[in-house]
Amino acid sequence: TIFVVIMFFITQHNVNQQYLERMFYQNDTNTSKNKIYLFGSSHINALNTTHIDKKIQDGGLIGFSTYNIMMNSDNPSRRLNTIDMVLLTKPQVVVYGIDMRSFVESNIGSFQNENKLLPDPQKNLKIFFNIFKENIPVDLSFLSSPKFSMLKSIRGLFQDGDRQQLMEFSPYPNAPTVLITKENLVSKSYEELRNMKSVQTFDQFRESEINKEVMALKQIIKEFKQNNIKIIIFTTPYAKSYGEQVQSKITPFNDMIKNIESYTDLKIYRLDYTDIDTQIWSDPTHIAINKNSTIYNNDVAKIILNEIGP
């Protein structure tokens, strides 16, 4: 039952984002030809369109407007499904942030128990929890004690403070799909991040030549190039504590990046190597949305200026 409830809330959130995304493309009345789209997963949440617009304008790139069109649990296959709508709106530049999980083809196999005829609900729920904890920047700690959390949620229905904490909102303009809660605004200390264990929930990547997400990204790059749209790709940053936990995935991830660069003749900017000491993280893979995230916005603005600046 709890699994169904979780699925409902997660699916409902993603459906809302998909609706907002499609509405943006269909109702695009912006006559400006100089549109910059930011694509990627929830790791893109912290990219402030207003700040980036100002930085690139200060750098001499005049007349551009940036739009944050992130999607929770985004991957190239999903983006490929909406590329026709993107092409119709004719952006001049698309900036795509990717990470290790972008190339995980499916987590369905992780829910199967090879030694039993029937799945293990407790094990599967734990795997499910870890997957969405890592991909979606909302507090899923209630899964550790469903009974306690259910009672807390019922009490929360009658408490204005709790409702306000869970209310989703967009923190800046030109961000049609960015929906965050107050929790996303709070930076964690290094010790807090170390205590937030991000369990490795995905197996080794399949080789680039047969990895459907790698092939989808290559197709996306091809489509944009054929339509004279500048495509810029960068890897999103993560906290040092997370890098320590996924150490075994770094080398194969690097190999896939090199494969994509070689095949598409495209430079992929690396921000995942950035060792940021500043207290900017809301969790090990998400940068908090506050004044401390300026460094992230500055880095992306520099990449844009380097690619299309005067």
Side-chain angles (χ1 to χ4, degrees):
T1 302
I2 188 67
F3 180 83
V4 175
V5 173
I6 299 166
M7 282 298 296
F8 171 78
F9 283 110
I10 297 299
T11 304
Q12 185 67 28
H13 185 88
N14 286 344
V15 167
N16 288 340
Q17 279 192 314
Q18 292 170 13
Y19 172 78
L20 293 171
E21 178 194 29
R22 291 176 182 273
M23 288 295 293
F24 170 76
Y25 293 140
Q26 293 173 3
N27 299 326
D28 178 29
T29 58
N30 187 348
T31 57
S32 171
K33 295 181 180 179
N34 298 327
K35 292 179 289 188
I36 300 175
Y37 289 170
L38 303 176
F39 285 171
S41 68
S42 54
H43 298 172
I44 307 300
N45 267 339
L47 291 182
N48 186 322
T49 53
T50 302
H51 184 93
I52 291 177
D53 281 346
K54 184 178 186 305
K55 292 299 293 186
I56 63 176
Q57 182 174 342
D58 291 344
L61 202 59
I62 309 299
F64 281 79
S65 296
T66 305
Y67 297 82
N68 189 329
I69 315 178
M70 56 71 59
M71 292 291 293
N72 286 333
S73 304
D74 181 62
N75 60 32
S77 291
R78 203 215 67 82
R79 287 291 173 181
L80 193 57
N81 289 333
T82 60
I83 196 168
D84 288 341
M85 290 188 291
V86 176
L87 296 176
L88 286 175
T89 62
K90 299 180 180 179
Q92 183 165 335
V93 182
V94 170
V95 184
Y96 198 163
I98 60 174
D99 64 280
M100 293 183 190
R101 297 200 61 86
S102 299
F103 301 119
V104 176
E105 296 177 283
S106 174
N107 284 304
I108 295 176
S110 299
F111 289 88
Q112 299 174 350
N113 189 323
E114 298 177 356
N115 299 319
K116 296 182 180 180
L117 294 176
L118 295 176
D120 182 345
Q122 184 175 2
K123 178 181 178 182
N124 291 346
L125 183 59
K126 182 178 180 180
I127 294 173
F128 178 87
F129 164 64
N130 289 328
I131 291 171
F132 284 99
K133 179 182 178 182
E134 187 169 326
N135 281 279
I136 299 178
V138 292
D139 184 10
L140 296 180
S141 58
F142 64 87
L143 294 181
S144 60
S145 180
K147 180 179 179 180
F148 171 79
S149 300
M150 182 64 72
L151 294 174
K152 181 179 179 181
S153 298
I154 293 173
R155 289 197 303 270
L157 292 175
F158 303 97
Q159 298 177 5
D160 291 338
D162 286 349
R163 285 207 308 272
Q164 186 178 12
Q165 181 73 15
L166 294 173
M167 286 179 61
E168 294 179 328
F169 64 96
S170 183
Y172 30 76
N174 291 352
T177 60
V178 177
L179 298 172
I180 67 168
T181 65
K182 284 188 175 181
E183 182 182 358
N184 305 126
L185 307 177
V186 181
S187 299
K188 302 292 194 305
S189 68
Y190 179 75
E191 288 302 319
E192 288 175 312
L193 292 174
R194 288 294 298 270
N195 292 330
M196 297 173 68
K197 297 295 183 181
S198 296
V199 180
Q200 300 180 30
T201 58
F202 54 97
D203 298 326
Q204 293 292 341
F205 305 105
R206 296 179 72 188
E207 295 179 1
S208 298
E209 290 73 14
I210 57 175
N211 186 303
K212 72 175 185 179
E213 297 302 337
V214 171
M215 292 187 286
L217 183 56
K218 290 177 180 178
Q219 183 62 31
I220 289 173
I221 295 171
K222 179 181 177 180
E223 293 277 353
F224 284 138
K225 284 186 174 182
Q226 288 179 342
N227 286 272
N228 298 315
I229 296 174
K230 181 71 174 179
I231 173 71
I232 302 171
I233 299 179
F234 72 95
T235 56
T236 58
Y238 50 75
K240 183 178 180 181
S241 61
Y242 180 78
E244 294 170 350
Q245 294 176 51
V246 296
Q247 187 66 37
S248 64
K249 308 297 189 297
I250 294 177
T251 296
F253 178 64
N254 289 340
D255 291 340
M256 278 188 287
I257 294 298
K258 293 176 182 177
N259 178 275
I260 295 168
E261 287 181 321
S262 176
Y263 182 86
T264 61
D265 191 27
L266 187 74
K267 176 181 179 180
I268 296 179
Y269 291 84
R270 305 301 298 264
L271 295 186
D272 54 318
Y273 286 147
T274 305
D275 187 9
I276 305 174
D277 295 328
T278 310
Q279 187 172 316
I280 66 171
W281 304 96
S282 64
D283 66 45
T285 60
H286 294 91
I287 292 179
I289 303 174
N290 55 43
K291 63 181 181 179
N292 292 332
S293 65
T294 299
I295 186 172
Y296 185 27
N297 287 282
N298 288 345
D299 285 342
V300 172
K302 288 177 183 177
I303 290 173
I304 296 173
L305 286 170
N306 187 64
E307 287 288 323
I308 63 172

